[in-house]
Amino acid sequence: MREQPRLQTPWLQRRLTALLLTLLITIAGIIISWHQTPDAFATAPVSMLYGSASDAPDSELQAIVNDVVSDVRGTWGVAIKKLDTGQFAVVNGDRQQVSASLYKLWVLAELYHQVSLGDINLDDSATVSYDDAYYDASLGDVRLSAGNDVTFRGAAKLMITVSDNTAAALLVRNLGADNINRFMQQNELNDSVLDWSGSGDNLTTPLDVMRELELIATSKMVDADSSEEMLNLLLDQQINNRLPVGLPAEARIAHKTGDLSSLLHDAGIVYGPRGPFIIVAMASDLYSLDEVWEKMPELARRVYDYFNTNPSSPARYFPETRQTVGHDFLKFWNDYGGLETFGYPIAPEHMGGNLLVQQFERGRFELHPEMAGAGGPVPTVGLGLLGQERAAQLKLSWAAGPNDGTGIYFDGTGQQLTGDFLNYWRDHGGERIFGWPISPAADMVNPSDGSTVLTQWFQRARMEYHPELPVGRRIVLGALGSELATSDR
């Protein structure tokens, strides 16, 4: 039922070893904290992402990882990925290790999954059982005593921020271990296993942990609001004595640790000035903890420096349309949904007036250097007003409608946004990607194929509702870029 390593030692010795390890980790964290600025990890803003780049193996990044962990003792696994460029490196990425408390990431994801289904309310309470509190009681580390009530929200906070085992056990009992495993399999985390029978170990791999963090960071596991709540819990992590030690003050890390008598793990999403990256470091079969305290901070520091002092200029060729997308346009395409949101590029980048632009099936990217500044040194990408342009081309216009108090009403266009269109708008970038609605939601003729479908036009997009598609994929964006490029009307 509890996370326990398979060790050929008596039960009492395992318990004493675990208690000693907990004491050593606490002391190490206190010692390390003396050398840190109190607010070192509470300054940089965090932005939600809506997409990530494909894996792009990076030989220089791989060399850094190899140099840090090549001569360490024990079994180490590392997986690193920069989300907006896809730069990627791995060591023993698919080698299973005992997960220790990294399994709590799976529990957190299933909790918010069940919340999204309406099966659980975060503010409902559950009573702590004796079995829930057993492991922490054996360590003398009980925060939630048997018989006490705690909300699911409160249990999630304790489980993540201080790695409370009682809270985790309560959540697993209420969510169901089988449901947690099933949700992991649905998300193709096939090398991760939650064994709650008490006879085996919870197992995972660096690549699976990296993929789950990528799914959370890009709102692919659950909706954007739930993803943001999960990230905020991970950002509030109180055990910061491994990877965070190597990061500078301007960085923030949303992460989770794991430790048992012969292993230490840390895995998280690091937010820095040049975009976020995921870093997973797992170390098992350890004879000494000293190398971990040295190597994990070194790995975090060197990877952070590499990404933030060596600006990348990524480019991707799309054989489907024989076009290439590069640098800031590709980062923006990756960050905000990629193919699902913007479709394929349909023309090379070129100067459109005073702006560098590039057309996509569902959007027009525009590079606005004047918008850079507080947002960082990289010029800002904006989207052209294709919804307005296509509507004008078709001679479509809509009168302002009443505000009935539901959803969001936009005074600037006199239109209201509700229901599935509002949810999609919020979850996929909001005003920056779609602009304001310029029409009501109503059955309209699709200019692409002549069919009639529930539609709402926006300044930069057209949303169409297709009930015949699976739940979660029923909102489709109109191909405004292609329509404008090929239509003479």
Short mmCIF file of all heavy atoms in Angstrom, two decimals, residues 418-472:
data_model
loop_
_atom_site.label_atom_id
_atom_site.label_comp_id
_atom_site.label_asym_id
_atom_site.label_seq_id
_atom_site.Cartn_x
_atom_site.Cartn_y
_atom_site.Cartn_z
N THR A 418 -20.18 32.45 -24.81
CA THR A 418 -20.69 31.53 -23.79
C THR A 418 -20.40 30.09 -24.19
O THR A 418 -19.93 29.80 -25.29
CB THR A 418 -22.22 31.69 -23.60
OG1 THR A 418 -22.87 31.36 -24.85
CG2 THR A 418 -22.58 33.11 -23.21
N GLY A 419 -20.70 29.18 -23.28
CA GLY A 419 -20.72 27.75 -23.57
C GLY A 419 -19.41 27.18 -24.07
O GLY A 419 -18.32 27.55 -23.61
N ASP A 420 -19.51 26.25 -25.02
CA ASP A 420 -18.33 25.56 -25.53
C ASP A 420 -17.36 26.50 -26.20
O ASP A 420 -16.14 26.33 -26.12
CB ASP A 420 -18.75 24.46 -26.51
CG ASP A 420 -19.48 23.31 -25.82
OD1 ASP A 420 -18.99 22.85 -24.78
OD2 ASP A 420 -20.54 22.90 -26.31
N PHE A 421 -17.87 27.51 -26.89
CA PHE A 421 -16.98 28.48 -27.53
C PHE A 421 -16.18 29.25 -26.48
O PHE A 421 -14.98 29.50 -26.66
CB PHE A 421 -17.77 29.44 -28.41
CG PHE A 421 -18.32 28.82 -29.67
CD1 PHE A 421 -19.54 29.22 -30.19
CD2 PHE A 421 -17.62 27.83 -30.35
CE1 PHE A 421 -20.05 28.66 -31.36
CE2 PHE A 421 -18.11 27.26 -31.52
CZ PHE A 421 -19.34 27.67 -32.02
N LEU A 422 -16.80 29.63 -25.39
CA LEU A 422 -16.09 30.33 -24.32
C LEU A 422 -15.03 29.44 -23.69
O LEU A 422 -13.89 29.88 -23.45
CB LEU A 422 -17.09 30.80 -23.25
CG LEU A 422 -16.48 31.42 -21.98
CD1 LEU A 422 -15.61 32.63 -22.31
CD2 LEU A 422 -17.57 31.79 -20.98
N ASN A 423 -15.37 28.19 -23.44
CA ASN A 423 -14.40 27.27 -22.84
C ASN A 423 -13.20 27.09 -23.75
O ASN A 423 -12.04 27.09 -23.29
CB ASN A 423 -15.05 25.92 -22.56
CG ASN A 423 -16.10 26.00 -21.46
OD1 ASN A 423 -16.04 26.88 -20.59
ND2 ASN A 423 -17.06 25.10 -21.48
N TYR A 424 -13.45 26.91 -25.04
CA TYR A 424 -12.35 26.74 -25.98
C TYR A 424 -11.51 28.01 -26.05
O TYR A 424 -10.26 27.96 -26.07
CB TYR A 424 -12.90 26.38 -27.37
CG TYR A 424 -11.83 25.96 -28.36
CD1 TYR A 424 -11.47 24.62 -28.48
CD2 TYR A 424 -11.17 26.90 -29.15
CE1 TYR A 424 -10.48 24.23 -29.37
CE2 TYR A 424 -10.19 26.51 -30.04
CZ TYR A 424 -9.85 25.18 -30.15
OH TYR A 424 -8.86 24.80 -31.03
N TRP A 425 -12.16 29.16 -26.11
CA TRP A 425 -11.46 30.45 -26.16
C TRP A 425 -10.53 30.60 -24.96
O TRP A 425 -9.36 30.97 -25.10
CB TRP A 425 -12.52 31.55 -26.19
CG TRP A 425 -12.04 32.96 -26.37
CD1 TRP A 425 -11.79 33.61 -27.54
CD2 TRP A 425 -11.81 33.93 -25.33
NE1 TRP A 425 -11.42 34.92 -27.31
CE2 TRP A 425 -11.42 35.13 -25.95
CE3 TRP A 425 -11.89 33.89 -23.94
CZ2 TRP A 425 -11.11 36.29 -25.24
CZ3 TRP A 425 -11.58 35.03 -23.22
CH2 TRP A 425 -11.20 36.21 -23.87
N ARG A 426 -11.05 30.29 -23.78
CA ARG A 426 -10.24 30.41 -22.57
C ARG A 426 -9.08 29.43 -22.56
O ARG A 426 -7.95 29.77 -22.16
CB ARG A 426 -11.12 30.17 -21.34
CG ARG A 426 -11.98 31.36 -20.94
CD ARG A 426 -12.89 30.97 -19.79
NE ARG A 426 -13.54 32.14 -19.17
CZ ARG A 426 -14.59 32.06 -18.39
NH1 ARG A 426 -15.14 30.87 -18.12
NH2 ARG A 426 -15.12 33.15 -17.86
N ASP A 427 -9.34 28.19 -22.95
CA ASP A 427 -8.34 27.13 -22.83
C ASP A 427 -7.25 27.21 -23.88
O ASP A 427 -6.20 26.57 -23.73
CB ASP A 427 -9.01 25.75 -22.92
CG ASP A 427 -9.80 25.41 -21.67
OD1 ASP A 427 -9.73 26.19 -20.69
OD2 ASP A 427 -10.49 24.37 -21.66
N HIS A 428 -7.46 27.96 -24.95
CA HIS A 428 -6.51 27.93 -26.07
C HIS A 428 -5.92 29.29 -26.42
O HIS A 428 -5.45 29.49 -27.54
CB HIS A 428 -7.18 27.31 -27.30
CG HIS A 428 -7.49 25.86 -27.14
ND1 HIS A 428 -8.60 25.41 -26.44
CD2 HIS A 428 -6.83 24.74 -27.55
CE1 HIS A 428 -8.61 24.09 -26.45
NE2 HIS A 428 -7.55 23.66 -27.11
N GLY A 429 -5.88 30.18 -25.45
CA GLY A 429 -5.13 31.40 -25.69
C GLY A 429 -5.91 32.68 -25.57
O GLY A 429 -5.32 33.76 -25.57
N GLY A 430 -7.25 32.61 -25.52
CA GLY A 430 -8.05 33.78 -25.27
C GLY A 430 -7.88 34.89 -26.29
O GLY A 430 -7.76 34.67 -27.50
N GLU A 431 -7.83 36.12 -25.78
CA GLU A 431 -7.81 37.29 -26.66
C GLU A 431 -6.58 37.33 -27.55
O GLU A 431 -6.66 37.75 -28.71
CB GLU A 431 -7.88 38.56 -25.79
CG GLU A 431 -7.93 39.83 -26.59
CD GLU A 431 -8.05 41.07 -25.71
OE1 GLU A 431 -8.51 40.94 -24.56
OE2 GLU A 431 -7.68 42.16 -26.18
N ARG A 432 -5.44 36.89 -27.04
CA ARG A 432 -4.23 36.98 -27.84
C ARG A 432 -4.32 36.15 -29.11
O ARG A 432 -3.81 36.54 -30.16
CB ARG A 432 -3.01 36.54 -27.03
CG ARG A 432 -1.72 36.68 -27.83
CD ARG A 432 -0.47 36.41 -27.04
NE ARG A 432 0.70 36.80 -27.82
CZ ARG A 432 1.94 36.56 -27.46
NH1 ARG A 432 2.18 35.93 -26.33
NH2 ARG A 432 2.95 36.94 -28.22
N ILE A 433 -4.96 35.00 -29.04
CA ILE A 433 -5.03 34.11 -30.19
C ILE A 433 -6.27 34.40 -31.05
O ILE A 433 -6.19 34.43 -32.28
CB ILE A 433 -5.05 32.63 -29.74
CG1 ILE A 433 -3.78 32.33 -28.93
CG2 ILE A 433 -5.16 31.69 -30.93
CD1 ILE A 433 -2.49 32.60 -29.66
N PHE A 434 -7.41 34.64 -30.43
CA PHE A 434 -8.65 34.74 -31.17
C PHE A 434 -9.21 36.17 -31.28
O PHE A 434 -10.03 36.43 -32.16
CB PHE A 434 -9.72 33.84 -30.53
CG PHE A 434 -9.27 32.42 -30.35
CD1 PHE A 434 -9.02 31.91 -29.08
CD2 PHE A 434 -9.08 31.59 -31.43
CE1 PHE A 434 -8.61 30.60 -28.91
CE2 PHE A 434 -8.65 30.28 -31.27
CZ PHE A 434 -8.41 29.79 -30.01
N GLY A 435 -8.77 37.06 -30.38
CA GLY A 435 -9.39 38.37 -30.33
C GLY A 435 -10.77 38.30 -29.73
O GLY A 435 -11.14 37.35 -29.04
N TRP A 436 -11.61 39.32 -29.99
CA TRP A 436 -12.98 39.38 -29.48
C TRP A 436 -13.95 38.76 -30.49
O TRP A 436 -13.69 38.74 -31.70
CB TRP A 436 -13.39 40.83 -29.27
CG TRP A 436 -12.58 41.58 -28.26
CD1 TRP A 436 -11.69 41.05 -27.36
CD2 TRP A 436 -12.57 42.98 -28.05
NE1 TRP A 436 -11.14 42.05 -26.60
CE2 TRP A 436 -11.67 43.26 -27.00
CE3 TRP A 436 -13.25 44.06 -28.64
CZ2 TRP A 436 -11.41 44.54 -26.54
CZ3 TRP A 436 -13.00 45.34 -28.17
CH2 TRP A 436 -12.09 45.58 -27.13
N PRO A 437 -15.08 38.27 -30.01
CA PRO A 437 -16.11 37.79 -30.95
C PRO A 437 -16.69 38.97 -31.72
O PRO A 437 -16.89 40.06 -31.17
CB PRO A 437 -17.15 37.15 -30.04
CG PRO A 437 -16.98 37.82 -28.72
CD PRO A 437 -15.52 38.12 -28.60
N ILE A 438 -16.95 38.77 -33.01
CA ILE A 438 -17.56 39.82 -33.84
C ILE A 438 -18.92 39.39 -34.35
O ILE A 438 -19.58 40.15 -35.08
CB ILE A 438 -16.64 40.21 -35.02
CG1 ILE A 438 -16.34 39.01 -35.91
CG2 ILE A 438 -15.35 40.85 -34.50
CD1 ILE A 438 -15.55 39.34 -37.18
N SER A 439 -19.35 38.19 -33.98
CA SER A 439 -20.69 37.71 -34.35
C SER A 439 -21.28 36.97 -33.17
O SER A 439 -20.56 36.56 -32.26
CB SER A 439 -20.61 36.77 -35.56
OG SER A 439 -20.28 35.44 -35.14
N PRO A 440 -22.59 36.75 -33.17
CA PRO A 440 -23.18 35.84 -32.18
C PRO A 440 -22.88 34.40 -32.59
O PRO A 440 -22.44 34.14 -33.72
CB PRO A 440 -24.67 36.14 -32.27
CG PRO A 440 -24.87 36.60 -33.68
CD PRO A 440 -23.61 37.35 -34.05
N ALA A 441 -23.10 33.47 -31.69
CA ALA A 441 -23.03 32.05 -32.04
C ALA A 441 -24.36 31.67 -32.69
O ALA A 441 -25.42 31.80 -32.08
CB ALA A 441 -22.78 31.21 -30.79
N ALA A 442 -24.31 31.23 -33.93
CA ALA A 442 -25.54 30.90 -34.67
C ALA A 442 -25.22 29.93 -35.79
O ALA A 442 -24.05 29.79 -36.19
CB ALA A 442 -26.16 32.18 -35.23
N ASP A 443 -26.24 29.25 -36.29
CA ASP A 443 -26.05 28.38 -37.46
C ASP A 443 -25.73 29.26 -38.67
O ASP A 443 -26.47 30.19 -39.00
CB ASP A 443 -27.30 27.57 -37.73
CG ASP A 443 -27.52 26.46 -36.71
OD1 ASP A 443 -26.52 26.05 -36.08
OD2 ASP A 443 -28.66 26.03 -36.51
N MET A 444 -24.60 28.96 -39.33
CA MET A 444 -24.17 29.74 -40.49
C MET A 444 -23.63 28.80 -41.54
O MET A 444 -23.20 27.67 -41.26
CB MET A 444 -23.07 30.74 -40.10
CG MET A 444 -23.45 31.72 -39.02
SD MET A 444 -22.12 32.91 -38.70
CE MET A 444 -22.68 33.61 -37.13
N VAL A 445 -23.62 29.26 -42.78
CA VAL A 445 -23.07 28.49 -43.88
C VAL A 445 -21.55 28.59 -43.83
O VAL A 445 -20.98 29.68 -43.73
CB VAL A 445 -23.59 29.02 -45.23
CG1 VAL A 445 -22.91 28.28 -46.39
CG2 VAL A 445 -25.10 28.87 -45.31
N ASN A 446 -20.90 27.43 -43.87
CA ASN A 446 -19.44 27.38 -43.86
C ASN A 446 -18.92 27.78 -45.23
O ASN A 446 -19.22 27.12 -46.23
CB ASN A 446 -18.98 25.95 -43.51
CG ASN A 446 -17.50 25.86 -43.27
OD1 ASN A 446 -16.71 26.50 -43.95
ND2 ASN A 446 -17.11 25.05 -42.30
N PRO A 447 -18.10 28.85 -45.33
CA PRO A 447 -17.60 29.29 -46.63
C PRO A 447 -16.71 28.27 -47.32
O PRO A 447 -16.54 28.31 -48.54
CB PRO A 447 -16.81 30.56 -46.30
CG PRO A 447 -17.31 30.99 -44.97
CD PRO A 447 -17.69 29.74 -44.25
N SER A 448 -16.12 27.34 -46.54
CA SER A 448 -15.21 26.37 -47.14
C SER A 448 -15.93 25.26 -47.89
O SER A 448 -15.50 24.86 -48.98
CB SER A 448 -14.31 25.75 -46.05
OG SER A 448 -13.43 26.70 -45.53
N ASP A 449 -17.06 24.75 -47.33
CA ASP A 449 -17.70 23.59 -47.96
C ASP A 449 -19.20 23.75 -48.14
O ASP A 449 -19.87 22.83 -48.63
CB ASP A 449 -17.40 22.33 -47.16
CG ASP A 449 -17.90 22.39 -45.72
OD1 ASP A 449 -18.73 23.28 -45.40
OD2 ASP A 449 -17.45 21.57 -44.90
N GLY A 450 -19.78 24.88 -47.75
CA GLY A 450 -21.20 25.11 -47.95
C GLY A 450 -22.12 24.46 -46.95
O GLY A 450 -23.35 24.60 -47.04
N SER A 451 -21.57 23.75 -45.96
CA SER A 451 -22.42 23.11 -44.94
C SER A 451 -22.89 24.16 -43.93
O SER A 451 -22.32 25.25 -43.82
CB SER A 451 -21.65 22.00 -44.23
OG SER A 451 -20.52 22.55 -43.53
N THR A 452 -23.94 23.81 -43.20
CA THR A 452 -24.44 24.70 -42.15
C THR A 452 -24.02 24.14 -40.80
O THR A 452 -24.28 22.98 -40.49
CB THR A 452 -25.97 24.82 -42.22
OG1 THR A 452 -26.34 25.39 -43.49
CG2 THR A 452 -26.49 25.71 -41.10
N VAL A 453 -23.39 24.98 -40.00
CA VAL A 453 -22.84 24.52 -38.73
C VAL A 453 -22.90 25.68 -37.74
O VAL A 453 -22.85 26.86 -38.12
CB VAL A 453 -21.38 24.02 -38.92
CG1 VAL A 453 -20.47 25.15 -39.40
CG2 VAL A 453 -20.85 23.39 -37.65
N LEU A 454 -23.04 25.35 -36.46
CA LEU A 454 -23.02 26.38 -35.41
C LEU A 454 -21.65 27.06 -35.43
O LEU A 454 -20.61 26.40 -35.29
CB LEU A 454 -23.28 25.75 -34.04
CG LEU A 454 -23.33 26.73 -32.85
CD1 LEU A 454 -24.48 27.72 -33.02
CD2 LEU A 454 -23.47 25.96 -31.54
N THR A 455 -21.65 28.37 -35.59
CA THR A 455 -20.42 29.11 -35.85
C THR A 455 -20.38 30.40 -35.05
O THR A 455 -21.42 31.01 -34.78
CB THR A 455 -20.33 29.47 -37.35
OG1 THR A 455 -20.36 28.26 -38.12
CG2 THR A 455 -19.05 30.23 -37.68
N GLN A 456 -19.19 30.81 -34.66
CA GLN A 456 -19.00 32.15 -34.11
C GLN A 456 -17.70 32.73 -34.68
O GLN A 456 -16.66 32.06 -34.68
CB GLN A 456 -18.96 32.15 -32.58
CG GLN A 456 -18.96 33.56 -31.99
CD GLN A 456 -19.41 33.61 -30.54
OE1 GLN A 456 -19.38 32.61 -29.83
NE2 GLN A 456 -19.84 34.79 -30.08
N TRP A 457 -17.79 33.95 -35.19
CA TRP A 457 -16.64 34.64 -35.78
C TRP A 457 -15.95 35.49 -34.72
O TRP A 457 -16.58 36.08 -33.86
CB TRP A 457 -17.09 35.54 -36.93
CG TRP A 457 -17.51 34.81 -38.17
CD1 TRP A 457 -18.65 34.10 -38.36
CD2 TRP A 457 -16.79 34.75 -39.40
NE1 TRP A 457 -18.71 33.58 -39.62
CE2 TRP A 457 -17.57 33.98 -40.30
CE3 TRP A 457 -15.58 35.28 -39.85
CZ2 TRP A 457 -17.17 33.71 -41.61
CZ3 TRP A 457 -15.17 35.02 -41.16
CH2 TRP A 457 -15.96 34.24 -42.01
N PHE A 458 -14.62 35.57 -34.85
CA PHE A 458 -13.79 36.37 -33.97
C PHE A 458 -12.90 37.27 -34.82
O PHE A 458 -12.77 37.08 -36.03
CB PHE A 458 -12.92 35.47 -33.07
CG PHE A 458 -13.71 34.65 -32.10
CD1 PHE A 458 -14.40 33.51 -32.52
CD2 PHE A 458 -13.80 35.02 -30.76
CE1 PHE A 458 -15.14 32.77 -31.62
CE2 PHE A 458 -14.54 34.27 -29.87
CZ PHE A 458 -15.22 33.15 -30.29
N GLN A 459 -12.26 38.22 -34.17
CA GLN A 459 -11.38 39.13 -34.91
C GLN A 459 -10.28 38.37 -35.66
O GLN A 459 -9.89 38.77 -36.76
CB GLN A 459 -10.76 40.15 -33.96
CG GLN A 459 -11.75 41.15 -33.40
CD GLN A 459 -11.15 41.97 -32.28
OE1 GLN A 459 -10.49 41.44 -31.37
NE2 GLN A 459 -11.36 43.28 -32.33
N ARG A 460 -9.80 37.28 -35.08
CA ARG A 460 -8.67 36.57 -35.67
C ARG A 460 -8.99 35.12 -36.03
O ARG A 460 -8.09 34.38 -36.43
CB ARG A 460 -7.48 36.57 -34.70
CG ARG A 460 -6.99 37.97 -34.32
CD ARG A 460 -5.73 37.89 -33.47
NE ARG A 460 -5.25 39.21 -33.15
CZ ARG A 460 -5.48 39.85 -32.00
NH1 ARG A 460 -6.19 39.24 -31.04
NH2 ARG A 460 -5.00 41.05 -31.79
N ALA A 461 -10.22 34.69 -35.87
CA ALA A 461 -10.53 33.27 -36.08
C ALA A 461 -12.02 33.08 -36.33
O ALA A 461 -12.83 33.99 -36.17
CB ALA A 461 -10.10 32.47 -34.86
N ARG A 462 -12.37 31.84 -36.72
CA ARG A 462 -13.77 31.42 -36.82
C ARG A 462 -13.89 30.05 -36.16
O ARG A 462 -13.18 29.11 -36.55
CB ARG A 462 -14.19 31.33 -38.29
CG ARG A 462 -15.68 30.98 -38.46
CD ARG A 462 -16.09 30.90 -39.92
NE ARG A 462 -15.52 29.74 -40.60
CZ ARG A 462 -14.80 29.82 -41.72
NH1 ARG A 462 -14.56 30.98 -42.30
NH2 ARG A 462 -14.33 28.72 -42.28
N MET A 463 -14.74 29.96 -35.17
CA MET A 463 -14.95 28.69 -34.47
C MET A 463 -16.20 28.02 -35.00
O MET A 463 -17.23 28.67 -35.19
CB MET A 463 -15.09 28.91 -32.96
CG MET A 463 -13.83 29.38 -32.27
SD MET A 463 -14.07 29.42 -30.47
CE MET A 463 -12.60 30.31 -29.98
N GLU A 464 -16.10 26.69 -35.20
CA GLU A 464 -17.23 25.90 -35.68
C GLU A 464 -17.45 24.74 -34.73
O GLU A 464 -16.49 24.07 -34.30
CB GLU A 464 -16.93 25.38 -37.09
CG GLU A 464 -16.59 26.48 -38.10
CD GLU A 464 -15.89 25.95 -39.33
OE1 GLU A 464 -15.69 24.71 -39.42
OE2 GLU A 464 -15.50 26.75 -40.19
N TYR A 465 -18.70 24.48 -34.37
CA TYR A 465 -19.04 23.39 -33.46
C TYR A 465 -19.54 22.20 -34.25
O TYR A 465 -20.53 22.28 -34.98
CB TYR A 465 -20.10 23.85 -32.46
CG TYR A 465 -20.47 22.77 -31.46
CD1 TYR A 465 -19.63 22.48 -30.39
CD2 TYR A 465 -21.66 22.04 -31.59
CE1 TYR A 465 -19.96 21.51 -29.46
CE2 TYR A 465 -21.99 21.05 -30.67
CZ TYR A 465 -21.13 20.79 -29.61
OH TYR A 465 -21.46 19.81 -28.72
N HIS A 466 -18.85 21.04 -34.09
CA HIS A 466 -19.19 19.82 -34.83
C HIS A 466 -19.56 18.72 -33.84
O HIS A 466 -18.69 18.01 -33.31
CB HIS A 466 -17.99 19.38 -35.69
CG HIS A 466 -17.71 20.31 -36.83
ND1 HIS A 466 -18.19 20.09 -38.10
CD2 HIS A 466 -17.00 21.47 -36.88
CE1 HIS A 466 -17.78 21.06 -38.90
NE2 HIS A 466 -17.06 21.92 -38.19
N PRO A 467 -20.86 18.52 -33.56
CA PRO A 467 -21.28 17.53 -32.56
C PRO A 467 -20.95 16.10 -32.93
O PRO A 467 -20.96 15.22 -32.06
CB PRO A 467 -22.80 17.76 -32.47
CG PRO A 467 -23.18 18.40 -33.77
CD PRO A 467 -22.01 19.23 -34.17
N GLU A 468 -20.66 15.86 -34.21
CA GLU A 468 -20.35 14.49 -34.63
C GLU A 468 -18.95 14.05 -34.21
O GLU A 468 -18.62 12.85 -34.27
CB GLU A 468 -20.50 14.36 -36.16
CG GLU A 468 -19.40 15.04 -36.98
CD GLU A 468 -19.60 16.54 -37.18
OE1 GLU A 468 -20.55 17.09 -36.55
OE2 GLU A 468 -18.84 17.14 -37.94
N LEU A 469 -18.12 15.00 -33.79
CA LEU A 469 -16.74 14.68 -33.38
C LEU A 469 -16.70 14.26 -31.92
O LEU A 469 -17.63 14.53 -31.16
CB LEU A 469 -15.84 15.89 -33.63
CG LEU A 469 -15.68 16.32 -35.09
CD1 LEU A 469 -14.80 17.56 -35.19
CD2 LEU A 469 -15.11 15.19 -35.94
N PRO A 470 -15.61 13.60 -31.49
CA PRO A 470 -15.52 13.16 -30.09
C PRO A 470 -15.53 14.35 -29.13
O PRO A 470 -15.12 15.46 -29.48
CB PRO A 470 -14.16 12.42 -30.04
CG PRO A 470 -13.87 12.06 -31.45
CD PRO A 470 -14.48 13.13 -32.30
N VAL A 471 -15.99 14.09 -27.91
CA VAL A 471 -15.99 15.12 -26.87
C VAL A 471 -14.55 15.62 -26.67
O VAL A 471 -13.61 14.84 -26.63
CB VAL A 471 -16.54 14.55 -25.54
CG1 VAL A 471 -16.38 15.58 -24.42
CG2 VAL A 471 -17.99 14.14 -25.71
N GLY A 472 -14.41 16.91 -26.55
CA GLY A 472 -13.10 17.51 -26.40
C GLY A 472 -12.48 17.96 -27.70
O GLY A 472 -11.48 18.68 -27.70
#
